């Protein structure tokens, strides 16, 4: 079905369509559709826009990736379905390979996601020949040339357990997660509370510009960044947005939604 661009929820419906297509191609699993539902809810109460705190986190995340010796971008099924082309572009801008990492792992599915991403001419790791310690589920399966030896990992729609395991293994984690209350957001070094479909394009632009900065300048951006404050601002932003909506319903003439 064609979604008319005039539809008031066009972008939201487009994302759902991409996920359903991803499901049909074997990239997305049913559980991924449910995870997207949780993300949609948080996006709704954030106002479906990139807030200032998210922009700051995106900038800090790019700085951390540019300063890394071995940065890797971890990609799961939903991320691949929603933003394959953009992830490939970010991979090039940051000089960081993509690595397929799945909660519902099978050799076949990992290869399917790899091929899906490779359509956009990028380096994709998916050997699954190494394991992270301290995780029981399949997210422990990594590539010995990628996440296993990475010093900074960018993750989206991540599982809290693995985020913790990555930290324990001495890696820095940049997480894109719409839920500021999730374990992932609380565990990461840089938590980007934004939709992946907005965050990745923002980060591509930032990476292109910030590449030219001196190392000291990138370090300065990071030293001014406080993730705890960022999560606090994200939660307060949801509170303020909801308060604004509540006042609107109470008095539509004098307030704006
Ligand atoms: P945690 O284990 O970290 O507490 P969780 O159990 O809440 O996380 P999961 O099911 O493991 O969540 O992963 C889904 C997460 O991804 C949710 O926090 C959801 O808000 C987030 N999410 C879903 N869709 C998107 C999206 N398009 N962009 C960014 N984040 C998203
Ligand atoms: Mg979880």
């Amino acid at each position: 079905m064609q979604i008319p661009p005039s539809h008031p929820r066009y972008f939201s419906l487009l994302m759902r369509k991409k996920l359903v297509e991803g499901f049909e191609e074997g990239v997305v699993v049913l559980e991924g559709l449910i995870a997207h539902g949780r993300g949609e809810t948080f996006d709704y109460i954030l106002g479906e826009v990139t807030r200032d705190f998210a922009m700051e986190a995106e900038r800090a995340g790019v700085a951390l990736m540019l300063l890394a010796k071995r940065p890797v971008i971890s990609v799961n099924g939903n991320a691949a379905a929603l933003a394959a082309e953009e992830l490939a572009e970010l991979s090039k801008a940051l000089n960081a390979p993509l690595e397929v990492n799945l909660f519902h792992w099978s050799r076949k599915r990992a290869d399917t996601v790899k091929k899906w991403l490779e359509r956009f001419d990028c380096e994709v790791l998916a050997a699954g020949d190494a394991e992270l310690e301290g995780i029981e589920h399949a997210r422990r399966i990594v590539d010995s040339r990628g996440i296993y030896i990475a010093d900074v990992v960018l993750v989206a729609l991540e599982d809290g357990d693995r985020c913790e395991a990555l930290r324990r293994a001495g890696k820095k984690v940049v997480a894109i997660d719409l839920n500021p209350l999730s374990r992932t957001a609380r565990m990461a070094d840089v938590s980007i509370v934004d939709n992946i479909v907005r965050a990745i394009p923002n980060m591509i632009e930032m990476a292109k510009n910030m590449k030219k900065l001196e190392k000291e300048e990138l370090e300065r951006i990071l030293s001014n960044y406080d993730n705890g404050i960022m999560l606090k601002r994200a939660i307060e932003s949801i509170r303020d947005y909801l308060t604004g909506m509540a006042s609107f319903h109470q008095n539509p003439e004098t307030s704006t939604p």
Side-chain angles (χ1 to χ4, degrees):
M1 188 197 102
Q2 275 304 106
I3 304 162
S6 59
H7 193 289
R9 301 215 53 76
Y10 175 70
F11 288 107
S12 175
L13 294 176
L14 197 63
M15 271 187 270
R16 289 183 181 181
K17 189 170 156 47
K18 283 185 175 180
L19 285 165
V20 170
E21 280 165 7
F23 175 74
E24 284 161 356
E25 296 293 330
V27 167
V28 172
V29 289
L30 277 173
E31 289 81 353
L33 304 180
I34 301 168
H36 182 73
R38 180 174 292 160
E40 273 192 343
T41 309
F42 278 98
D43 208 10
Y44 211 113
I45 58 175
L46 273 159
E48 294 172 305
V49 289
T50 301
R51 299 287 180 187
D52 54 358
F53 57 82
M55 278 296 230
E56 285 173 49
E58 283 156 16
R59 206 166 139 75
V62 169
L64 193 53
M65 290 290 277
L66 287 173
L67 284 166
K69 286 200 179 66
R70 287 187 294 265
V72 174
I73 303 171
S74 177
V75 183
N76 76 344
N78 281 36
L82 289 172
E85 189 167 5
E86 293 81 2
L87 284 162
E89 203 181 330
L90 184 65
S91 166
K92 281 174 238 168
L94 290 172
N95 209 3
L98 302 179
E99 176 168 337
V100 179
N101 184 266
L102 307 170
F103 187 79
H104 299 275
W105 188 89
S106 71
R107 183 68 268 162
K108 186 166 177 262
R109 184 169 172 232
D111 289 339
T112 304
V113 178
K114 179 172 155 66
K115 283 203 197 93
W116 178 268
L117 294 165
E118 279 171 346
R119 292 176 303 155
F120 301 104
D121 182 33
C122 53
E123 187 190 353
V124 186
L125 305 170
D129 57 349
E131 291 192 3
L132 291 173
E133 288 199 9
I135 324 176
E136 302 279 314
H137 53 75
R139 284 248 201 205
R140 70 180 186 281
I141 304 168
V142 291
D143 192 305
S144 60
R145 299 157 299 168
I147 292 172
Y148 194 68
I149 54 161
D151 53 349
V152 181
V153 188
L154 171 66
V155 300
L157 290 95
E158 181 64 18
D159 197 85
D161 303 23
R162 195 176 72 122
C163 189
E164 202 172 342
L166 290 169
R167 290 289 306 271
R168 257 201 319 272
K171 301 170 197 308
K172 298 239 185 248
V173 179
V174 181
I176 304 174
D177 189 334
L178 278 160
N179 178 4
L181 308 169
S182 77
R183 285 174 306 137
T184 302
R186 283 183 284 129
M187 287 302 303
D189 294 276
V190 177
S191 305
I192 298 168
V193 182
D194 198 5
N195 198 315
I196 182 173
V197 302
R198 295 189 301 268
I200 302 287
N202 289 344
M203 291 171 84
I204 293 169
E205 283 316 303
M206 288 175 187
K208 285 181 185 163
N209 293 323
M210 288 166 64
K211 251 183 187 171
K212 300 165 207 147
L213 298 180
E214 298 288 334
K215 191 168 170 264
E216 289 70 28
E217 184 61 21
L218 296 172
E219 282 166 350
R220 203 185 54 76
I221 293 170
L222 275 179
S223 63
N224 287 334
Y225 179 83
D226 184 321
N227 207 50
I229 291 178
M230 219 46 78
L231 290 176
K232 179 172 179 282
R233 283 170 64 189
I235 295 166
E236 286 170 352
S237 163
I238 291 174
R239 177 198 63 194
D240 294 344
Y241 180 69
L242 293 179
T243 304
M245 291 303 271
S247 334
F248 175 73
H249 286 303
Q250 199 178 15
N251 200 346
E253 260 112 65
T254 55
S255 53
T256 44

